[in-house]
Amino acid sequence: ASALVSRRHYFGPSSTGSSLVYEPHFLIYEFTHGMLLREAQVSLLRKFLDAQAAGRSLCHQLIMGQGKTTVIAPMLALLIGDGSMLVTQIVPTPLLRFSHATLRSAFSAPPLHKPVWTFRFDRRASVTIELLDKVRAAVTERAVLLSTPAAVKAFLLKLLELLHLLDTGQYPKNLNSIGEKMRRVMRLKPRKVTDDRIDKASLQQQAARAVALLQLWKSGVGIIDEVDVVLHPLKSELNWPLGDKHALDF
């Protein structure tokens, strides 16, 4: 009974003051989750939505227990993911499984049903047409694309690697290793250098797909959880070896 008479902070007067207006998504979220949105949560959501509409980035700090992962992030994905742009939520790797379960639980009710997909990528992966189609489908299906800083950085570095290979034609060769020096000292025949130039047509296709996927990201919205960890230069670094494999010279 107390919930029925509790104040809903998403109700308010219209611009003319002649009537009351409210956001139905807030009411449905409360009903499906059996909770009441706090005034601070509603106010913060409106700040984020206003910043997104104006094309501005916004960072806000919340202490533990204020609903950052269970309320704010799912509500932003619900309100922004309207089928016109990509919504990507980036979380630290240890929180990936928990965030995936939280989002699936938040969007499991039929009125709020929304797919939750995971974007995985590493240096051994290729930019396939299936990956591009998955991201495009995430826009049309109003899905939330959940990823980690390592996957996003790996994809961007993969694009730089593809452009580097298209520019140079091959990886740089290291012929000054200790093995080559020993061969010369022992008067052995030098190691034959094979011309293993890469498939340029395949690289061009991958680069084109990567650019198309990057455009979807640039025109979309990124929701970053634990931004102090995700953007930390040391806690969120990614090592990306480039070139041929060679034995270490000790």
Side-chain angles (χ1 to χ4, degrees):
S2 60
L4 293 176
V5 297
S6 297
R7 180 183 177 186
R8 263 64 177 183
H9 302 285
Y10 43 85
F11 278 85
S14 63
S15 57
T16 60
S18 59
S19 60
L20 292 175
V21 294
Y22 74 100
E23 293 91 341
H25 296 88
F26 289 77
L27 181 61
I28 296 175
Y29 195 88
E30 283 187 341
F31 176 77
T32 55
H33 290 78
M35 56 171 289
L36 290 177
L37 292 173
R38 306 169 191 168
E39 183 177 5
Q41 293 172 338
V42 175
S43 177
L44 181 59
L45 285 169
R46 285 174 172 167
K47 287 182 181 179
F48 274 111
L49 293 174
D50 291 341
Q52 184 269 327
R56 296 184 289 105
S57 299
L58 181 63
C59 181
H60 194 87
Q61 183 179 12
L62 289 176
I63 64 175
M64 185 179 297
Q66 290 191 335
K68 174 188 56 179
T69 304
T70 57
V71 177
I72 302 298
M75 283 294 295
L76 286 176
L78 175 66
L79 296 171
I80 297 175
D82 57 358
S84 62
M85 65 181 67
L86 178 65
V87 176
T88 306
Q89 182 169 338
I90 304 173
V91 300
T93 302
L95 295 180
L96 180 63
R97 183 172 297 180
F98 171 75
S99 299
H100 188 270
T102 301
L103 289 174
R104 292 195 65 179
S105 176
F107 301 133
S108 59
L112 303 177
H113 180 68
K114 184 182 287 289
V116 180
W117 298 340
T118 304
F119 179 85
R120 301 180 186 272
F121 203 88
D122 56 48
R123 65 185 297 264
R124 295 174 295 275
S126 300
V127 187
T128 61
I129 187 63
E130 290 80 12
L131 180 64
L132 179 58
D133 288 342
K134 177 180 179 179
V135 178
R136 285 174 173 169
V139 179
T140 57
E141 297 291 332
R142 305 182 179 187
V144 183
L145 199 64
L146 188 63
S147 188
T148 62
V152 175
K153 292 177 182 179
F155 171 79
L156 295 176
L157 290 173
K158 185 69 173 184
L159 175 57
L160 292 178
E161 182 184 18
L162 290 170
L163 296 177
H164 166 75
L165 289 175
L166 288 173
D167 182 51
T168 62
Q170 62 182 7
Y171 286 118
K173 298 297 179 183
N174 181 11
L175 301 180
N176 296 321
S177 64
I178 188 68
E180 295 301 322
K181 294 178 182 178
M182 291 297 295
R183 285 176 177 272
R184 289 195 294 268
V185 170
M186 300 176 65
R187 298 181 179 181
L188 298 177
K189 292 183 178 181
R191 183 178 56 182
K192 183 178 181 181
V193 180
T194 58
D195 186 9
D196 55 349
R197 291 180 179 271
I198 32 112
D199 186 357
K200 191 172 183 179
S202 175
L203 291 182
Q204 288 175 337
Q205 293 176 355
Q206 287 195 62
R209 297 174 194 139
V211 171
L213 199 155
L214 183 61
Q215 291 298 325
L216 292 174
W217 265 344
K218 292 178 65 176
S219 61
V221 173
I223 303 173
I224 304 178
D225 196 359
E226 303 292 346
V227 66
D228 57 329
V229 176
V230 171
L231 300 183
H232 197 283
L234 298 179
K235 296 180 181 178
S236 187
E237 67 177 355
L238 175 67
N239 294 321
W240 184 275
L242 178 65
D244 295 328
K245 294 182 180 179
H246 298 281
L248 295 176
D249 297 336
F250 292 107

